Amino acid sequence: MQKKSGTITPVKVKNGTRFNAQKQYKGVRYSQRFQTREDAQEWLDDLAYLGATDSNGNPTRKAKAAQLIIDEIDQQRERNTTPTLKECINLFSSQSDLKSAFEYVKQLNRFLGLLDKPVNEIGRLDFELELDRIQEDRGMTDSTRNRYQAAFSSLFKWLARHKDFKQYQLINPTIHTPRGKEGAGCMLFLSKDEQVRLLEACKASKWDGLYLLVYLLLLTGSRRNEIAQLRWENVDLSEGILYLVKTKNGSDHAVKLPKQATALLKEWKISQPLSNWVFQHRRDPRRAMVNFNGYWEKAKSAANLPAELRVHDLRHTTASTMLADGYSLEQIKETLNHKSVMMTNRYAHALGIKETVASRDTDFLSQAGG
């Protein structure tokens, strides 16, 4: 049915008939569906005042009301074409080269109340309310809450640099969001007997690589992903050296291994399918085995170790063991690849390079399963 202000078209639906009202305005077609023809006509009549002005050339009250209808439709269209947070997380997961991207993605996917929201509509209040919910639901400490906030901030910083997102002029919702008070932190250290028990449990794991991975972590004090994402191209089996590149402190790091560790790596390489990764995914050699949490939890439980023990605590363990064995903070700093002794002193970390790893008395680690 043609009307001066637009077009009304009956549409058959499951529960009867609805009426589509359409109007062309500045070259753009606007439409809305109504239950009755009268409602559709009333909508078109309201839009008929678009562009109307008073004697002074100013928009009339009805013209302003009509423009609000158009603006709301435009905004809805923009929302429908703007990527959601979930879509942005998936893009971040597939394209980001951040070492911590895998952990960030896990944390970001817990913002359930925001996943379907257009990313350019997420404001500070939206973020804080959802972060409050996550903290309460998961019983998180303020320190852990800060890690979630950091993950969200990293996503928005990454999006801001992405060429496809510059048009949205995104504002990072974490800016000016207060951070929780960081606790002193609870660092666990395993005794030598506990380290042996853990390695024995790892040997019994359904994933054969868990033993060697944990052994190297305890031996070198390296960070989790520095070993889990190690490539064969960065392993010199003839000289027994691991080359850890792009480490957390920004520098490359070379680790001299004792002969036994080199022998284990040689045996492991022979036993595995061809892959670029030292620790390849069990079902896909093209991927690194970065997520071994299930196997870690079972081994930890089998070794009767604290439930709160993290893989990162193996780094603390290396440091504490070296301290007990008489190594200096400077030597431990070199082992942990820290930039300063202050960091070493604060966290008692240990990441080994040069001769500090090769010269350690680590025979006790070989007792597992012996």
Side-chain angles (χ1 to χ4, degrees):
M1 178 177 179
Q2 184 69 38
K3 292 289 182 181
K4 181 179 179 181
S5 57
T7 301
I8 298 178
T9 305
V11 178
K12 294 292 184 181
V13 296
K14 184 176 180 180
N15 297 325
T17 302
R18 297 292 183 267
F19 299 88
N20 278 358
Q22 296 185 2
K23 180 178 178 63
Q24 195 86 3
Y25 179 62
K26 292 184 177 181
V28 180
R29 183 176 296 276
Y30 294 88
S31 65
Q32 197 78 279
R33 179 172 292 189
F34 299 91
Q35 289 190 341
T36 67
R37 187 186 299 276
E38 289 74 16
D39 289 341
Q41 186 59 55
E42 182 178 352
W43 185 78
L44 289 175
D45 290 343
D46 289 339
L47 293 184
Y49 290 95
L50 283 167
T53 58
D54 58 21
S55 57
N56 295 321
N58 298 317
T60 63
R61 180 177 58 81
K62 289 187 176 181
K64 292 179 180 178
Q67 188 61 51
L68 286 176
I69 296 174
I70 293 298
D71 290 345
E72 184 177 345
I73 294 175
D74 285 341
Q75 290 172 7
Q76 183 61 47
R77 285 175 173 172
E78 184 178 347
R79 282 195 292 270
N80 291 339
T81 58
T82 302
T84 63
L85 176 64
K86 180 62 177 177
E87 291 169 330
C88 291
I89 294 172
N90 291 339
L91 188 68
F92 176 73
S93 176
S94 63
Q95 295 186 10
S96 173
D97 57 359
L98 290 175
K99 285 184 174 292
S100 49
F102 178 79
E103 186 63 27
Y104 283 168
V105 168
K106 288 199 301 182
Q107 294 169 332
L108 290 166
N109 276 317
R110 294 190 176 117
F111 286 82
L112 302 179
L114 301 178
L115 291 180
D116 294 327
K117 194 175 183 68
V119 69
N120 63 336
E121 292 187 13
I122 299 176
R124 173 180 166 181
L125 181 60
D126 299 312
F127 167 71
E128 287 194 45
L129 290 175
E130 185 65 4
L131 188 58
D132 288 343
R133 180 195 64 77
I134 296 172
Q135 182 174 21
E136 182 176 350
D137 288 352
R138 301 182 66 83
M140 299 187 314
T141 64
D142 282 350
S143 296
T144 304
R145 175 193 174 99
N146 290 342
R147 305 292 84 76
Y148 277 70
Q149 183 167 328
F152 214 89
S153 180
S154 293
L155 171 66
F156 269 77
K157 288 178 181 177
W158 184 83
L159 291 173
R161 296 190 297 269
H162 198 290
K163 60 181 179 62
D164 294 339
F165 285 82
K166 293 187 183 298
Q167 59 180 311
Y168 302 119
Q169 298 181 326
L170 298 179
I171 298 177
N172 192 330
T174 69
I175 294 177
H176 304 310
T177 298
R179 290 172 58 85
K181 183 178 180 181
E182 291 281 353
C186 178
M187 292 185 286
L188 297 179
F189 307 94
L190 299 182
S191 67
K192 290 185 177 181
D193 287 342
E194 288 173 326
Q195 292 175 59
V196 172
R197 289 211 317 266
L198 175 61
L199 286 173
E200 289 175 339
C202 289
K203 275 193 171 182
S205 172
K206 291 184 178 180
W207 176 44
D208 294 340
L210 187 64
Y211 167 75
L212 180 58
L213 189 147
V214 172
Y215 172 80
L216 289 176
L217 288 172
L218 285 169
L219 179 70
T220 67
S222 299
R223 298 175 181 89
R224 171 178 174 144
N225 282 344
E226 289 172 351
I227 298 299
Q229 295 182 333
L230 187 64
R231 293 176 176 269
W232 283 117
E233 66 190 57
N234 294 323
V235 179
D236 185 340
L237 290 175
S238 61
E239 297 295 331
I241 298 176
L242 303 184
Y243 294 97
L244 307 179
V245 298
K246 297 180 180 179
T247 61
K248 186 176 179 180
N249 79 355
S251 65
D252 293 346
H253 188 47
V255 178
K256 177 71 174 177
L257 297 175
K259 291 182 179 180
Q260 182 182 359
T262 304
L264 287 174
L265 278 166
K266 288 179 179 178
E267 293 173 7
W268 174 252
K269 186 174 185 179
I270 293 173
S271 70
Q272 298 303 299
L274 188 64
S275 173
N276 292 327
W277 305 102
V278 174
F279 297 101
Q280 61 196 253
H281 193 276
R282 291 187 72 192
R283 293 183 294 276
D284 185 359
R286 296 169 299 178
R287 296 159 51 199
M289 189 71 172
V290 292
N291 186 2
F292 51 90
N293 294 341
Y295 302 107
W296 164 256
E297 292 296 328
K298 289 180 180 178
K300 186 172 64 175
S301 176
N304 195 27
L305 296 176
E308 61 270 24
L309 180 72
R310 306 164 302 164
V311 174
H312 191 70
D313 290 319
L314 301 184
R315 186 163 157 85
H316 303 317
T317 293
T318 305
S320 65
T321 304
M322 290 184 70
L323 283 169
D325 287 345
Y327 283 88
S328 69
L329 288 180
E330 181 61 33
Q331 288 174 312
I332 296 175
K333 176 183 89 66
E334 292 179 0
T335 303
L336 293 178
N337 195 25
H338 278 155
K339 287 187 175 181
S340 69
V341 175
M342 288 180 62
M343 180 68 74
T344 307
N345 191 33
R346 178 181 177 187
Y347 294 107
H349 279 176
L351 213 185
I353 183 172
K354 312 271 190 216
E355 302 300 321
T356 55
V357 167
S359 63
R360 286 182 60 203
D361 179 7
T362 55
D363 288 346
F364 72 93
L365 294 177
S366 307
Q367 297 174 20

